[in-house]
Amino acid sequence: AQSVSQHNHHVILSEAASLELGCNYSYGGTVNLFWYVQYPGQHLQLLLKYFSGDPLVKGIKGFEAEFIKSKFSFNLRKPSVQWSDTAEYFCAVTSTGGFKTIFGAGTRLFVKA
Amino acid sequence: SQTIHQWPATLVQPVGSPLSLECTVEGTSNPNLYWYRQAAGRGLQLLFYSVGIGQISSEVPQNLSASRPQDRQFILSSKKLLLSDSGFYLCAAGRGGFEQFFGPGTRLTVL
């Protein structure tokens, strides 16, 4: 069965610190990969996505993620976080052309001003 | 762009009462529609998805059911609520393996 594992459930950083959130998935076929973000009081929204091509993808607000096929990983990074990045981040996987998306448990990020 | 509407935003219901949560979608046609339950620290659990009118797939055996009476309307129901049905319910729309668009959610408390 497909699964998504996010390594950290809670992360606390100071502003300007670098961020890396881990995500590993379990699926044998071709996948589409996503990071979603939920800011306090807001809808869940797409941060970035990978379908094919360059395994380093850039999203909104300076975030990027790298797809490493051999490691079944899709880690999220940001060189310098801001207080406004405080949110919950979800990694998600969909089989290419499939209907179902499997979400990880989420990582709550708190950035101290 | 797509807009997902959900109502009500919050709901407090007694055990054993019926439930009806509604989701409507604007800005697209023939979307795949999804109901998720979000629990703290557990991510999003897919409950139901639909690829067309009247077509419902259930992912988890439970006390809930879903219906899609119109292309852009998705309803989550229960005949008799249980305490364990409390949670945060999200509706989403998407196509194939592409990204999904989420509604604001409904916070359900069963007492």
Side-chain angles (χ1 to χ4, degrees), chain A residues 32 36 38 49 51 98-99 101 105, chain B residues 34 38 43 96-100:
Chain A
N32 295 336
Y36 288 87
Q38 190 169 32
K49 61 189 176 186
F51 291 163
F99 300 116
T101 298
Chain B
Y34 305 84
Q38 183 179 9
F98 299 105
E99 65 263 37
Q100 295 180 17

Side-chain angles (χ1 to χ4, degrees), chain A residues 1-73:
Chain A
Q2 296 180 52
S3 65
V4 178
S5 175
Q6 291 185 237
H7 306 164
N8 310 96
H9 294 301
H10 293 91
V11 174
I12 300 174
L13 295 173
S14 298
E15 275 196 314
S18 64
L19 170 72
E20 181 160 2
L21 301 182
C23 173
N24 286 90
Y25 66 93
S26 172
Y27 184 71
T30 306
V31 295
N32 295 336
L33 298 159
F34 308 87
W35 277 97
Y36 288 87
V37 60
Q38 190 169 32
Y39 297 103
Q42 296 188 26
H43 300 195
L44 200 64
Q45 59 186 283
L46 182 70
L47 193 60
L48 50 77
K49 61 189 176 186
Y50 172 80
F51 291 163
S52 63
D54 188 344
L56 183 63
V57 293
K58 297 189 183 298
I60 60 173
K61 304 185 179 184
F63 285 90
E64 64 179 31
E66 184 175 12
F67 170 50
I68 302 179
K69 188 175 181 179
S70 61
K71 295 185 178 181
F72 297 89
S73 70

Side-chain angles (χ1 to χ4, degrees), chain A residues 74-91:
Chain A
F74 190 55
N75 292 354
L76 181 70
R77 300 194 291 251
K78 185 171 184 178
S80 176
V81 295
Q82 300 173 311
W83 177 80
S84 58
D85 293 324
T86 293
E88 189 162 16
Y89 294 81
F90 295 91
C91 182

Side-chain angles (χ1 to χ4, degrees), chain B residues 1-5 24-31 72 95 101:
Chain B
S1 64
Q2 299 181 43
T3 303
I4 316 300
H5 300 281
T24 58
V25 180
E26 290 181 4
T28 187
S29 59
N30 195 30
R72 290 175 288 178
R95 288 190 181 280
F101 297 85

Side-chain angles (χ1 to χ4, degrees), chain B residues 45-110:
Chain B
Q45 179 187 33
L46 179 62
L47 303 177
F48 301 94
Y49 68 93
S50 171
V51 300
I53 296 173
Q55 301 178 62
I56 308 294
S57 296
S58 173
E59 286 299 298
V60 182
Q62 58 203 317
N63 185 44
L64 302 169
S65 62
S67 61
R68 185 171 178 175
Q70 300 181 48
D71 180 46
R72 290 175 288 178
Q73 184 185 28
F74 204 26
I75 297 171
L76 184 69
S77 304
S78 174
K79 293 182 179 179
K80 289 186 178 182
L81 283 169
L82 305 173
L83 287 174
S84 58
D85 292 323
S86 293
F88 189 61
Y89 291 85
L90 285 169
C91 179
R95 288 190 181 280
F98 299 105
E99 65 263 37
Q100 295 180 17
F101 297 85
F102 287 85
T106 294
R107 175 75 60 189
L108 171 66
T109 302
V110 182

